[in-house]
Short mmCIF file of all heavy atoms in Angstrom, two decimals:
data_model
loop_
_atom_site.label_atom_id
_atom_site.label_comp_id
_atom_site.label_asym_id
_atom_site.label_seq_id
_atom_site.Cartn_x
_atom_site.Cartn_y
_atom_site.Cartn_z
N MET A 1 0.84 -1.20 0.00
CA MET A 1 0.00 0.00 0.00
C MET A 1 0.88 1.25 0.00
O MET A 1 1.56 1.53 0.97
CB MET A 1 -0.90 0.00 1.24
CG MET A 1 -1.95 -1.11 1.27
SD MET A 1 -2.94 -1.07 2.79
CE MET A 1 -3.66 0.54 2.65
N PRO A 2 0.92 2.02 -1.06
CA PRO A 2 1.82 3.15 -1.14
C PRO A 2 1.49 4.25 -0.14
O PRO A 2 2.36 5.00 0.25
CB PRO A 2 1.63 3.64 -2.58
CG PRO A 2 0.31 3.09 -3.02
CD PRO A 2 0.15 1.80 -2.30
N ASP A 3 0.20 4.34 0.27
CA ASP A 3 -0.19 5.40 1.20
C ASP A 3 -0.13 4.96 2.66
O ASP A 3 -0.47 5.73 3.55
CB ASP A 3 -1.61 5.89 0.87
CG ASP A 3 -1.66 6.54 -0.51
OD1 ASP A 3 -0.66 7.16 -0.91
OD2 ASP A 3 -2.71 6.43 -1.15
N ALA A 4 0.22 3.71 2.91
CA ALA A 4 0.26 3.22 4.29
C ALA A 4 1.40 3.90 5.04
O ALA A 4 2.48 4.13 4.50
CB ALA A 4 0.46 1.71 4.30
N PRO A 5 1.19 4.26 6.32
CA PRO A 5 2.26 4.89 7.09
C PRO A 5 3.42 3.93 7.31
O PRO A 5 3.22 2.71 7.40
CB PRO A 5 1.57 5.26 8.41
CG PRO A 5 0.41 4.34 8.51
CD PRO A 5 -0.05 4.09 7.10
N LEU A 6 4.61 4.49 7.39
CA LEU A 6 5.78 3.66 7.69
C LEU A 6 5.70 3.14 9.13
O LEU A 6 6.01 1.98 9.40
CB LEU A 6 7.06 4.48 7.51
CG LEU A 6 8.36 3.77 7.86
CD1 LEU A 6 8.63 2.62 6.90
CD2 LEU A 6 9.53 4.76 7.85
N LEU A 7 5.27 4.02 10.05
CA LEU A 7 5.16 3.66 11.46
C LEU A 7 3.75 3.94 11.93
O LEU A 7 3.20 5.02 11.69
CB LEU A 7 6.15 4.48 12.30
CG LEU A 7 6.07 4.29 13.81
CD1 LEU A 7 6.61 2.91 14.21
CD2 LEU A 7 6.85 5.38 14.54
N SER A 8 3.15 2.96 12.59
CA SER A 8 1.81 3.14 13.15
C SER A 8 1.78 2.53 14.55
O SER A 8 1.98 1.32 14.70
CB SER A 8 0.77 2.48 12.25
OG SER A 8 -0.53 2.68 12.75
N VAL A 9 1.55 3.36 15.54
CA VAL A 9 1.43 2.90 16.93
C VAL A 9 -0.06 2.88 17.28
O VAL A 9 -0.75 3.88 17.14
CB VAL A 9 2.19 3.83 17.88
CG1 VAL A 9 2.06 3.35 19.32
CG2 VAL A 9 3.66 3.90 17.49
N GLU A 10 -0.54 1.72 17.73
CA GLU A 10 -1.96 1.56 17.99
C GLU A 10 -2.19 1.12 19.43
O GLU A 10 -1.79 0.03 19.83
CB GLU A 10 -2.55 0.52 17.02
CG GLU A 10 -2.37 0.87 15.55
CD GLU A 10 -2.83 -0.24 14.62
OE1 GLU A 10 -3.20 -1.33 15.13
OE2 GLU A 10 -2.80 -0.04 13.40
N ASP A 11 -2.84 1.99 20.21
CA ASP A 11 -3.29 1.67 21.57
C ASP A 11 -2.15 1.10 22.43
O ASP A 11 -2.35 0.16 23.19
CB ASP A 11 -4.46 0.68 21.52
CG ASP A 11 -5.24 0.63 22.84
OD1 ASP A 11 -5.23 1.64 23.57
OD2 ASP A 11 -5.83 -0.42 23.14
N LEU A 12 -0.97 1.69 22.33
CA LEU A 12 0.19 1.20 23.08
C LEU A 12 0.04 1.51 24.56
O LEU A 12 -0.18 2.67 24.95
CB LEU A 12 1.47 1.84 22.55
CG LEU A 12 2.77 1.42 23.24
CD1 LEU A 12 3.05 -0.05 23.02
CD2 LEU A 12 3.94 2.28 22.75
N THR A 13 0.15 0.48 25.39
CA THR A 13 0.02 0.64 26.84
C THR A 13 1.18 -0.08 27.52
O THR A 13 1.42 -1.27 27.28
CB THR A 13 -1.31 0.06 27.34
OG1 THR A 13 -2.40 0.69 26.64
CG2 THR A 13 -1.49 0.31 28.84
N ILE A 14 1.91 0.67 28.36
CA ILE A 14 3.09 0.13 29.04
C ILE A 14 3.00 0.46 30.52
O ILE A 14 2.71 1.60 30.90
CB ILE A 14 4.39 0.70 28.45
CG1 ILE A 14 4.49 0.39 26.95
CG2 ILE A 14 5.61 0.16 29.19
CD1 ILE A 14 5.64 1.09 26.26
N ALA A 15 3.26 -0.53 31.36
CA ALA A 15 3.25 -0.33 32.81
C ALA A 15 4.61 -0.70 33.38
O ALA A 15 5.40 -1.41 32.76
CB ALA A 15 2.15 -1.17 33.45
N PHE A 16 4.86 -0.22 34.60
CA PHE A 16 6.08 -0.56 35.33
C PHE A 16 5.70 -1.05 36.72
O PHE A 16 4.70 -0.62 37.30
CB PHE A 16 7.01 0.65 35.45
CG PHE A 16 7.69 1.02 34.16
CD1 PHE A 16 7.09 1.91 33.28
CD2 PHE A 16 8.90 0.46 33.82
CE1 PHE A 16 7.70 2.25 32.09
CE2 PHE A 16 9.53 0.79 32.62
CZ PHE A 16 8.92 1.68 31.76
N GLY A 17 6.53 -1.94 37.27
CA GLY A 17 6.28 -2.45 38.60
C GLY A 17 5.40 -3.68 38.58
O GLY A 17 5.03 -4.20 37.52
N ALA A 18 5.05 -4.15 39.77
CA ALA A 18 4.23 -5.35 39.89
C ALA A 18 3.31 -5.21 41.10
O ALA A 18 3.58 -4.44 42.03
CB ALA A 18 5.12 -6.58 40.05
N GLY A 19 2.22 -5.94 41.05
CA GLY A 19 1.29 -5.95 42.17
C GLY A 19 0.67 -4.59 42.42
O GLY A 19 0.42 -3.81 41.49
N PRO A 20 0.47 -4.24 43.69
CA PRO A 20 -0.17 -2.96 44.03
C PRO A 20 0.64 -1.74 43.60
O PRO A 20 0.10 -0.65 43.45
CB PRO A 20 -0.30 -3.02 45.57
CG PRO A 20 -0.19 -4.46 45.92
CD PRO A 20 0.70 -5.06 44.89
N SER A 21 1.95 -1.92 43.41
CA SER A 21 2.81 -0.78 43.04
C SER A 21 2.89 -0.57 41.54
O SER A 21 3.56 0.35 41.08
CB SER A 21 4.22 -0.98 43.60
OG SER A 21 4.82 -2.14 43.04
N ARG A 22 2.21 -1.40 40.74
CA ARG A 22 2.25 -1.25 39.28
C ARG A 22 1.56 0.05 38.88
O ARG A 22 0.52 0.41 39.42
CB ARG A 22 1.58 -2.42 38.59
CG ARG A 22 1.46 -2.23 37.08
CD ARG A 22 0.86 -3.43 36.38
NE ARG A 22 1.81 -4.55 36.31
CZ ARG A 22 1.64 -5.63 35.56
NH1 ARG A 22 0.54 -5.75 34.82
NH2 ARG A 22 2.54 -6.57 35.55
N PHE A 23 2.15 0.77 37.92
CA PHE A 23 1.53 1.98 37.38
C PHE A 23 1.71 2.01 35.88
O PHE A 23 2.66 1.46 35.33
CB PHE A 23 2.11 3.25 38.02
CG PHE A 23 3.57 3.46 37.75
CD1 PHE A 23 4.00 4.16 36.63
CD2 PHE A 23 4.53 2.95 38.62
CE1 PHE A 23 5.35 4.36 36.38
CE2 PHE A 23 5.89 3.15 38.38
CZ PHE A 23 6.29 3.86 37.25
N VAL A 24 0.77 2.67 35.20
CA VAL A 24 0.78 2.77 33.75
C VAL A 24 1.52 4.05 33.35
O VAL A 24 1.13 5.15 33.76
CB VAL A 24 -0.65 2.78 33.19
CG1 VAL A 24 -0.63 3.01 31.67
CG2 VAL A 24 -1.35 1.48 33.50
N ALA A 25 2.59 3.91 32.58
CA ALA A 25 3.38 5.06 32.14
C ALA A 25 2.99 5.54 30.76
O ALA A 25 3.11 6.73 30.45
CB ALA A 25 4.87 4.70 32.16
N VAL A 26 2.54 4.64 29.90
CA VAL A 26 2.06 4.97 28.55
C VAL A 26 0.68 4.35 28.42
O VAL A 26 0.53 3.13 28.58
CB VAL A 26 3.01 4.44 27.47
CG1 VAL A 26 2.44 4.67 26.09
CG2 VAL A 26 4.38 5.09 27.59
N ASP A 27 -0.32 5.17 28.15
CA ASP A 27 -1.71 4.74 28.29
C ASP A 27 -2.49 4.91 26.98
O ASP A 27 -3.03 5.98 26.69
CB ASP A 27 -2.38 5.56 29.41
CG ASP A 27 -3.74 5.00 29.81
OD1 ASP A 27 -4.14 3.97 29.26
OD2 ASP A 27 -4.39 5.61 30.68
N GLY A 28 -2.50 3.86 26.15
CA GLY A 28 -3.30 3.87 24.94
C GLY A 28 -2.85 4.85 23.88
O GLY A 28 -3.68 5.51 23.25
#
């Protein structure tokens, strides 16, 4: 597809830690 983006980030979610101390640093 010539018009398709080279890079596409979709709903990226990243957390750090574990258990009760886990927090989301990148949210969708």
Side-chain angles (χ1 to χ4, degrees):
M1 294 178 61
D3 295 328
L6 177 66
L7 175 72
S8 182
V9 180
E10 302 174 355
D11 197 27
L12 180 65
T13 304
I14 301 172
F16 287 89
S21 62
R22 173 177 287 192
F23 63 89
V24 175
V26 175
D27 191 3

